[in-house]
């Protein structure tokens, strides 16, 4: 089998480290792996398949020639600055940041939903990986949309701190420890408010329309991935004191009636979804149970009696896996199987 030269930009971060894990788990055919991060990580080595790989400091003087696939996860500014340089040197970039997602020339891909869009990598050499909350929602909604045509989506999220990176994970831990020791919780530093024992309706920055950027990402990205600009979407995104895994309460209104039985049948036959829905046995998806899994979990499936064709769902996934690393590497697999 052919093997590829791969790079991870942002390799020391929460997503970057998960990329190393997922590449290894899936036995991705790698010839040579290069790792990049900031000058803070100078001298660090990361384990990959029993080898210690040195982390290189990302700067313009570096030679990126020979890299065929570059997985970016180092923030939007690094993606804007460096993705074109990697492309110029011959790589296809799969970008986890929000930098390129809404560029009409750049495909935004969830392999279970729009794998054919990968072909458009040829436009600019870049493929965008959607926002974590968007990914898990569209995986679950695509089979329902294909059958019943979704007219409107109302979503509220319950997002873990790992979505905001390693520093946010550490911040929740520090706050919980302080509380347990009976000492005052230190003020919030990386997240906008104290997150321990709290729910904060503020992810990413506020925009002039009073939504957060995280909410607008869900709204715009959903239409692009589902390739249907007519779907009306509204979102409220909330950070909750959970380390790993995002949960979502999703309400949809469809053109054609979807009964609970039909919804279960559609979701059962769709790729990448596991239904956990036996409420009488206390079975429904939970963040602490889906951490470490690659699928999207759906439960609490029930009719919304307040409208004619309405459905409620509870959708949960591991945000660092399906929400980021796994989805990016699935895209890389489509690339090598079909195009490279
Ligand atoms: P993180 O834990 O804070 O890690 C950030 C990574 O970027 C680290 O490896 C860091 O290196 C590197 N970095 C920061 N500044 C850099 C610079 N100037 N030059 C080179 N490397 C730099 O954050 P994360 O959660 O892994 O997220 C990273 C990115 O992924 C963000 O763009 C975020 O938007 C995106 N993301 C996407 C999703 C998704 O929805 N698909 C989910 C989560 C995150 P050092 O360790 O050396 O500082
Ligand atoms: N600010 O990929 O804070 O656009 O949870 C993902 C997660 C941005 C992104 C977060 C963020 C993204 C977060």
């Amino acid at each position: 089998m052919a093997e590829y030269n791969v790079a991870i930009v942002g390799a020391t971060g929460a997503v970057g480290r998960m990329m190393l894990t997922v590449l290894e788990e899936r036995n991705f055919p790698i010839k040579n792996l290069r790792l990049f991060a900031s000058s803070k990580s100078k001298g660090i080595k990361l384990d990959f398949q029993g080898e210690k790989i040195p982390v290189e400091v990302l700067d313009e003087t570096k030679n990126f020639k020979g890299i065929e696939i570059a997985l970016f996860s180092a923030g939007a500014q690094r993606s804007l600055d460096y993705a074109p340089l990697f492309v110029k040197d011959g790589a296809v970039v799969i970008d986890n940041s929000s930098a390129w997602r809404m560029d009409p020339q750049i495909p935004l891909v969830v392999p279970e939903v729009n794998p054919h869009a990968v072909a458009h990598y040829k436009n600019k050499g870049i493929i965008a990986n959607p926002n974590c909350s968007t990914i898990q929602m569209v995986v679950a909604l695509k089979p329902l949309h294909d059958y019943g045509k979704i007219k409107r989506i109302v979503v509220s999220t319950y997002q873990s701190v790992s979505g905001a990176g390693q520093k946010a994970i550490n911040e929740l831990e520090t706050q919980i420890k302080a509380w347990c020791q009976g000492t005052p919780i230190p003020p919030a530093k990386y997240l906008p408010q104290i997150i321990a024992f709290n729910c904060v309706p503020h992810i990413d920055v506020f925009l002039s329309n009073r939504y957060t950027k995280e909410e607008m990402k869900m709204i715009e990205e959903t239409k692009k991935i589902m390739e249907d600009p007519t779907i009306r979407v509204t979102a409220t995104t909330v950070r909750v004191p959970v380390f790993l895994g995002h949960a979502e309460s999703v309400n949809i209104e469809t053109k054609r009636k979807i009964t609970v039985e039909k919804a279960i049948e559609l979701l059962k036959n769709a790729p990448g979804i596991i239904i956990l829905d036996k409420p009488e046995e206390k079975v429904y998806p939970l963040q602490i149970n889906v951490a470490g899994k690659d699928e999207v979990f759906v439960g609490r499936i029930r009719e919304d009696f307040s409208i004619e064709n309405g459905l409620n769902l509870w959708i949960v996934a591991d945000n660092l896996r399906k929400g980021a690393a796994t989805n990016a590497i699935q895209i890389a697999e489509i690339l090598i199987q079909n195009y490279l």
Side-chain angles (χ1 to χ4, degrees), residues 193-205:
Q193 303 286 348
I194 286 179
I195 188 61
F197 317 107
N198 211 7
C199 294
V200 181
H202 177 178
I203 300 182
D204 212 331
V205 296

Side-chain angles (χ1 to χ4, degrees), residues 9-16 36-41 58 72-76 78-79 82 96-98 101 129-133 135 162-167 319-320 323-324:
V9 178
T12 52
V15 174
F36 295 93
S38 81
S39 53
K40 281 183 227 137
S41 300
L58 185 71
F72 268 64
S73 189
R78 260 65 60 197
S79 297
Y82 286 92
N96 243 295
S97 81
S98 57
R101 289 180 190 147
N129 202 53
N131 176 265
C132 37
S133 301
I135 293 175
S162 54
Q166 193 55 51
K167 287 175 178 149
N319 54 294
L320 295 182

Side-chain angles (χ1 to χ4, degrees), residues 296-313:
V296 172
F297 294 77
V298 186
R300 298 297 322 278
I301 303 163
R302 62 205 193 280
E303 214 176 294
D304 170 5
F305 301 124
S306 73
I307 49 174
E308 206 167 318
N309 296 334
L311 218 48
N312 288 316
L313 310 107

Side-chain angles (χ1 to χ4, degrees), residues 85-130:
L85 303 182
F86 276 67
V87 171
K88 184 166 63 63
D89 281 347
V92 179
V93 169
I94 301 173
D95 182 37
N96 243 295
S97 81
S98 57
W100 305 98
R101 289 180 190 147
M102 294 315 297
D103 183 326
Q105 296 266 79
I106 289 179
L108 182 64
V109 179
V110 177
E112 291 84 350
V113 179
N114 62 338
H116 49 268
V118 169
H120 303 303
Y121 82 89
K122 287 171 185 148
N123 292 350
K124 288 194 175 169
I126 302 172
I127 303 170
N129 202 53

